[in-house]
């Protein structure tokens, strides 16, 4: 990839709304991405290889459990800092942000919120420092948008539970040391189960042939009569609301992350358009390219404002799930549209790995689908404003 010359757009001086700590955390993440992600990420994506070298780096910038209390190894930061870290990481690559999202919001969060003190002390510090990598198993082959229908199950055997079933499309699965898995008990109630690599009957085959998130490892989780010690069940919340609560946190991070991908595409297109000469003048001097660039910065600025407000509400404990859905849906679509437009600004160069745009575009096709599809988030808004459920 060409040298990383990224300069972050801040059209409405939103930096003035951030504290010194927010800026410090954001700048550390930005620096790390420039130094340790940009030089290797294109090749990792081309080779479809998860760059394991990023794991310790993510831990070092506080990206594993940014808002988890320090007593459990987390960074003890607020929601705005968490969002800013996700923005910077996804500026580098959505797959790297995925690794951080899953570890923080889908593995550490449920252990912190729904686990007991023993489970918190056993797993959280090792997840925070990158010694353990985690994954989150909710989706099944026949239950994607409708996870409540899951068939993965646990059976009480007296001294232990027996876990059977399969999860699909699981980020980090092939490298995960621990998996937070959602399964129905004999009463049909959804429970959180901590499954550890090495347990007999537990396998994690990798999913190949992806054109998207190629630098993130995706796989299945297969459970064939896995014996689960009773102390591995998350005791403090059950029902579908438990995994959906984790998704709120991850979707919030994605709303910020998508802005990062959009900023990178915009910044690349702007620089290219000013340098590329056609018909004896920079293409940036043409009305058509200016329209594209002006619309991009307008949409990025609107998304930044939406997300900043959402961060403020999250810090006050007032953000609703539906507000998070709106931001995830809006910002990912915004980023995807900007990636497509920015790709055109670069002409043929836009399809190459010399620039990050095509990789962002392909990645965002996953981001618009996972953590609730674009359609599902629209239906969540529809339900919220009408009180009428249109899913079923
Ligand atoms: P419904 O009857 O509406 O709700 C069941 C219970 O859950 C509660 N609830 C929530 N709780 C917390 N947060 C939320 N966002 C919640 N949404 C609903 C609800 O109050 C209820 O509680 P209770 O106590 O009454 O039982 O459930 P439903 O079956 O009708 O489904 C609703 C729907 C469609 C919105 C939900 O199933 C959904 O969000 N589907 C999308 C599935 C999804 O997002 N999967 C993501 C899998 S993980 C992933 O993609 C990781 S990618 C990671 C990466 O690489 O970054
Ligand atoms: P489906 O639910 O089959 O949907 C197919 C289409 O139908 C979509 O367009 C959808 O919007 C539409 N649709 C569905 N229901 C309705 C409805 N009621 N009304 C109108 N339209 C509807 N899952 C995890 O648990 N953990 C992970 O770590 C994880 N990582 C992932 C990583 C990647 C790269 C990808 C691509 C997915 C990942 N997922 C993960 C799975 C992801 O959450 C699901 O793909 C997503 O929830 C959608 O499920 P589905 O693919 O089965 O699509």
């Amino acid at each position: 990839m060409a040298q990383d010359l990224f300069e972050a757009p801040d059209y409405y001086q939103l930096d003035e709304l951030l504290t010194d700590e927010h800026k410090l955390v954001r700048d550390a993440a930005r620096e790390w991405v420039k130094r340790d992600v940009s030089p290797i990420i294109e090749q990792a994506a081309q080779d479809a290889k998860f760059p394991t070298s990023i794991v310790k780096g993510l831990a070092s910038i506080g990206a594993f459990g940014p808002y988890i209390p320090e007593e459990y190894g987390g960074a003890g930061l607020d929601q705005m800092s968490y969002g800013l870290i996700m923005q910077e990481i996804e500026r580098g690559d959505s797959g790297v942000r995925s690794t951080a999202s899953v570890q923080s919001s889908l593995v550490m969060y449920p252990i912190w919120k729904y686990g007991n003190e023993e489970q918190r002390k056993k797993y959280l510090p090792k997840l925070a420092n990158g010694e353990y990598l985690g994954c989150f198993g909710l989706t099944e082959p026949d239950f994607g948008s409708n996870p409540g229908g899951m068939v993965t199950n646990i059976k009480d055997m007296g001294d232990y539970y027996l876990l059977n079933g399969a999860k699909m499309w699981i980020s980090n699965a092939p490298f995960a040391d621990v998996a937070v898995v959602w399964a129905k008990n004999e009463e049909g109630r959804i429970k959180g189960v901590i499954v550890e690599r090495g347990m007999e009957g537990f396998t994690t085959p990798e999913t190949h042939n992806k054109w998207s998130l190629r630098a993130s490892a995706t796989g299945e989780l297969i459970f064939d009569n896995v014996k689960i010690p009773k102390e591995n069940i998350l005791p403090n919340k059950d029902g579908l609301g438990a995994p959906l609560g984790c998704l709120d946190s991850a979707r919030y991070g994605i709303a910020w992350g998508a802005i990062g991908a959009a900023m990178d595409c915009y910044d690349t297109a702007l620089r290219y358009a000013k340098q590329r000469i056609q018909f004896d003048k920079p293409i940036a001097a043409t009305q058509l390219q200016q329209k594209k660039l002006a619309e991009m910065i307008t949409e990025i600025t609107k998304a930044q404002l939406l997300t900043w407000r959402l961060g403020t509400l999250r810090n006050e404990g007032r953000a609703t799930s539906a507000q998070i859905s709106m931001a995830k849906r809006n910002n990912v679509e915004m980023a995807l549209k900007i990636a497509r437009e920015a790709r055109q600004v670069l002409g043929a160069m836009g399809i190459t790995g010399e620039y990050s745009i095509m990789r962002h575009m392909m990645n965002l096709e996953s981001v618009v689908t996972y953590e609730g599809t674009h359609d599902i988030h629209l239906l969540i808004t529809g339900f919220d404003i009408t009180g009428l459920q249109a899913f079923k």
Side-chain angles (χ1 to χ4, degrees), residues 262-282:
M263 292 199 305
D264 198 48
C265 293
Y266 163 77
D267 179 61
T268 305
L270 178 62
R271 187 170 304 107
Y272 188 88
K274 289 201 272 191
Q275 288 168 358
R276 176 70 175 165
I277 310 290
Q278 287 294 290
F279 301 98
D280 302 322
K281 64 177 187 182

Side-chain angles (χ1 to χ4, degrees), residues 370-390:
Y370 68 33
E371 297 277 4
T373 68
H374 195 62
D375 296 330
I376 289 295
H377 288 297
L378 177 117
L379 295 175
I380 290 172
T381 306
F383 179 31
D384 194 48
I385 58 176
T386 65
L388 301 168
Q389 245 246 28

Side-chain angles (χ1 to χ4, degrees), residues 193-341:
V193 182
I194 303 173
V195 185
E196 295 181 24
R197 185 170 295 283
M199 287 180 170
E200 211 179 321
F202 173 44
T203 48
T204 61
E206 185 158 0
T207 303
H208 296 289
N209 285 331
K210 291 182 302 170
W211 282 109
S212 175
L213 285 194
R214 288 170 62 84
S216 159
T218 313
E220 292 168 62
L221 304 176
I222 297 173
F223 315 107
D224 180 10
N225 284 320
V226 184
K227 280 186 179 176
I228 304 290
K230 290 216 152 162
E231 64 262 24
N232 282 32
I233 302 293
L234 297 176
N236 295 333
K237 190 164 168 83
D238 54 24
L240 187 58
L244 292 181
C246 308
L247 295 185
D248 274 359
S249 175
R251 291 166 176 174
Y252 167 76
I254 292 172
W256 280 91
I259 297 175
M263 292 199 305
D264 198 48
C265 293
Y266 163 77
D267 179 61
T268 305
L270 178 62
R271 187 170 304 107
Y272 188 88
K274 289 201 272 191
Q275 288 168 358
R276 176 70 175 165
I277 310 290
Q278 287 294 290
F279 301 98
D280 302 322
K281 64 177 187 182
I283 59 169
T286 67
Q287 287 186 352
L288 278 176
Q289 304 315 315
Q290 285 191 7
K291 176 175 187 289
K292 289 192 180 83
L293 294 164
E295 285 177 352
M296 285 181 209
I297 191 62
T298 307
E299 290 308 315
I300 288 171
T301 305
K302 283 154 66 180
Q304 285 172 326
L305 284 162
L306 182 71
T307 315
W308 180 84
R309 176 64 185 151
L310 187 64
T312 307
L313 291 172
R314 288 271 296 172
N315 271 346
E316 294 168 0
R318 293 197 293 138
T320 66
S321 300
Q323 286 170 333
I324 295 168
S325 280
M326 181 185 281
K328 190 268 184 185
R329 181 176 188 273
N330 180 79
N331 292 8
V332 177
E333 187 185 39
M334 174 279 297
L336 196 46
K337 282 184 175 161
I338 285 179
R340 288 171 182 153
E341 289 288 295

Side-chain angles (χ1 to χ4, degrees), residues 38-196:
S38 298
I40 58 135
I41 198 64
E42 181 61 33
Q43 199 56 50
Q46 296 272 357
D47 296 345
K49 282 222 167 82
F50 174 60
T52 47
S53 63
I54 59 157
V55 172
K56 287 286 174 189
L58 284 168
S60 76
I61 58 163
F64 290 158
Y67 55 83
I68 300 285
E70 287 170 286
E71 61 174 307
Y72 301 117
L77 297 167
D78 72 354
Q79 290 292 314
M80 205 71 82
S81 292
Y82 164 45
L84 288 162
I85 293 172
M86 295 300 121
Q87 172 188 283
E88 294 307 316
I89 298 174
E90 191 145 3
R91 205 281 296 173
D93 189 79
S94 303
V96 180
R97 197 267 308 132
S98 253
T99 299
S101 291
V102 170
Q103 185 93 336
S104 299
S105 294
L106 301 182
V107 180
M108 296 178 75
Y109 178 87
I111 293 174
W112 175 45
K113 281 283 174 189
Y114 315 146
N116 58 32
E117 197 55 19
E118 221 167 71
Q119 292 167 335
R120 290 185 195 121
K121 288 202 167 117
K122 179 170 177 193
Y123 296 104
L124 293 179
K126 288 184 176 163
L127 288 159
N129 70 20
E131 192 178 334
Y132 280 176
L133 196 64
C135 70
F136 175 88
L138 181 64
T139 305
E140 299 188 357
D142 294 329
F143 299 95
S145 297
N146 176 26
M150 70 174 68
V151 293
T152 295
N153 61 86
I154 47 170
K155 202 169 165 193
D156 193 339
M157 305 301 284
D159 293 346
Y160 58 89
Y161 287 98
L162 213 48
L163 173 65
N164 277 292
K167 300 288 177 179
M168 193 173 182
W169 298 114
I170 307 304
S171 300
N172 295 354
F175 290 88
D177 303 286
V178 279
V180 169
V181 173
W182 302 93
K184 280 184 180 160
N185 68 11
E186 286 145 295
E187 286 80 49
R189 194 83 185 144
I190 294 171
K191 307 285 286 182
V193 182
I194 303 173
V195 185
E196 295 181 24

